[in-house]
Amino acid sequence: MDSYDVAVLDGDGIGPEVTGEALKVVEAAAKRFGFELNTTRYDLGAQHYLDTGVVIDDATVERLRSHRAILFGAMGDPRVRPGVLERGLILKLRREFAQPVNLRPVRLYPGVPTPIRDLTPQRCDLVIIRENTEGLYVGAGSTVHAGTPHAVALQESVNTVAAISQVVDYSFRLAQQRRGKLTLCHKTNILVHAGAMWQQVVDEVSRSYPAVELDYVHVDAMCQHLPMTPERFDVVVTDNLFGDIISDLGATIQGGLGVACSGNLNLDGTAPSMFEPVHGSAPDIAGRGWANPAAAVLSAALCLATLGQGQAALACEQAAAAVLAELPALAGPAMGASTTELGDRMADRVTNLEIPTTPSIMTAIAAV
């Protein structure tokens, strides 16, 4: 029996609630498909920082490195100033564990309302691949004359062929498992140096994938095309900042952050990948049972897919989708069921539903 060591970082606010339900669903999948998931919880987040003054120490980083994957709940607390936890934990782990790929499926599930008129699930099924370690997010820059009328702030974007090549090659391999189309999203007419490097790498890597159709779209145009013609896109690859922005637009199109999942992928097996729902910690509703665990369940499904458990991942995705279709609302008491009840229903569906044979992002990821 295959066995996987997974670290669990519940995080803040609703993080422990939704993560607990995601694990319930994954355990049902493990029982049905015949594998073991061994979990180790780590007490990291706002309270740990407030108690110790340390976001994460080096020894804990090394312990986390020994796991196959990390499930992360949510992060954020009004008692901690912005940036401390995000940079000190999330961005740190992405860099320490060499996770160049941030993967964000954008799929409209049946019954989930979208603000886009006439959009159907058949028209919205794409994946945004965001370079995860470079660009403007490296933090390079300086400020001089701070606090004066003559203040100058410089923020530098770092782009390397090595990192871009990794994320572009992964994107081609994923597109090859899906509908065979890859779109580069950038701003090559203005960011001429970085844009030229991205385009050059895409063109070079494309020679190894002749069956994959290439497309290009400026990021500002993407913000128009994505809501109006999402069916144009299959796999979209882009840089760190642009990916951060358009993936949130994608989440809005698919029904909101409550159904948006993500994975931060290590591609060479030297460290774990990390999976997290895109939503925040929602401290105002923590403990009330109002949080929808769907995004956490879908993130856990992505985790199973990268571990090679494609059918189990598909079962978790289909179970979450089936329960979502039954809800009168996607959040709060209007859902008609508590967080725990939704987790129970999704776990029950994993155990009993018939697994479809149609292709899915989950089976495509498992095949990459």
Side-chain angles (χ1 to χ4, degrees):
M1 179 181 290
D2 291 329
S3 179
Y4 307 101
D5 248 350
V6 175
V8 178
L9 281 61
D10 289 319
D12 307 317
I14 62 171
E17 299 170 58
V18 297
T19 303
E21 299 313 307
L23 287 172
K24 184 188 297 180
V25 176
V26 168
E27 286 162 4
K31 184 176 181 179
R32 176 173 178 177
F33 293 95
F35 62 91
E36 290 183 347
L37 200 73
N38 301 313
T39 59
T40 304
R41 276 191 154 82
Y42 289 80
D43 181 22
L44 296 170
Q47 193 59 55
H48 174 78
Y49 171 73
L50 292 169
D51 290 342
T52 67
V54 176
V55 178
I56 187 171
D57 57 37
D58 292 342
T60 304
V61 170
E62 292 311 306
R63 287 198 298 273
L64 286 170
R65 191 185 299 275
S66 67
H67 295 279
R68 286 289 301 274
I70 300 171
L71 292 181
F72 182 76
M75 176 159 290
D77 190 302
R79 297 173 296 171
V80 180
R81 63 183 173 83
V84 171
L85 299 174
E86 294 84 353
R87 286 193 171 275
L89 186 58
I90 297 296
L91 296 188
K92 179 180 177 66
L93 292 181
R94 288 175 182 174
R95 290 191 297 268
E96 290 281 348
F97 295 156
Q99 298 169 343
V101 168
N102 180 273
L103 184 149
R104 291 276 296 270
V106 179
R107 182 178 180 187
L108 181 59
Y109 293 103
V112 175
T114 172
I116 308 303
R117 187 179 63 186
D118 300 328
L119 185 61
T120 63
Q122 293 73 30
R123 293 182 55 208
C124 183
D125 184 2
L126 63 127
V127 186
I128 296 173
I129 304 294
R130 162 189 171 190
E131 198 291 313
N132 209 26
T133 61
E134 294 190 341
L136 282 165
Y137 285 44
V138 297
S142 62
T143 303
V144 296
H145 308 304
T148 76
H150 306 290
V152 177
L154 301 177
Q155 196 76 54
E156 299 168 2
S157 178
V158 177
N159 301 266
T160 67
V161 167
I164 297 171
S165 296
Q166 286 188 85
V167 74
V168 167
D169 183 73
Y170 179 85
S171 300
F172 270 105
R173 287 189 283 131
L174 184 58
Q176 197 169 239
Q177 295 294 329
R178 284 175 50 85
R179 300 196 304 275
K181 184 174 182 179
L182 178 70
T183 300
L184 170 62
C185 175
H186 210 279
K187 190 66 176 171
T188 55
N189 60 336
I190 301 297
L191 305 178
V192 293
H193 300 291
M197 180 178 288
W198 273 87
Q199 187 66 66
Q200 178 185 358
V201 171
V202 167
D203 291 343
E204 290 178 355
V205 176
S206 70
R207 299 189 187 107
S208 299
Y209 301 92
V212 176
E213 177 188 353
L214 279 181
D215 187 19
Y216 173 83
V217 63
H218 287 323
V219 66
D220 48 341
M222 183 71 171
C223 292
Q224 178 183 25
H225 295 313
L226 193 53
M228 296 182 67
T229 54
E231 63 270 21
R232 169 179 171 175
F233 304 106
D234 179 17
V235 176
V236 178
V237 64
T238 188
D239 90 332
N240 210 337
L241 176 61
F242 297 151
D244 197 0
I245 295 169
I246 65 171
S247 59
D248 275 6
L249 176 58
T252 298
I253 292 168
Q254 72 177 122
L257 295 177
V259 293
C261 60
S262 74
N264 304 282
L265 307 186
N266 172 280
L267 301 180
D268 59 12
T270 59
S273 297
M274 181 166 61
F275 303 87
E276 56 181 314
V278 177
H279 60 64
S281 60
D284 55 323
I285 65 168
R288 298 190 179 190
W290 291 358
N292 190 330
V297 171
L298 293 170
S299 298
L302 287 178
C303 177
L304 293 181
T306 64
L307 293 173
Q309 294 289 342
Q311 287 299 298
L314 182 57
C316 292
E317 180 193 37
Q318 292 296 316
V323 172
L324 284 172
E326 299 168 352
L327 300 183
L330 292 184
M335 288 191 300
S338 70
T339 306
T340 300
E341 289 168 340
L342 291 179
D344 289 340
R345 287 162 62 176
M346 292 177 188
D348 182 66
R349 293 298 176 89
V350 165
T351 301
N352 296 302
L353 63 75
E354 182 178 346
I355 307 302
T357 58
T358 52
S360 162
I361 175 59
M362 301 300 171
T363 51
I365 291 170
V368 172

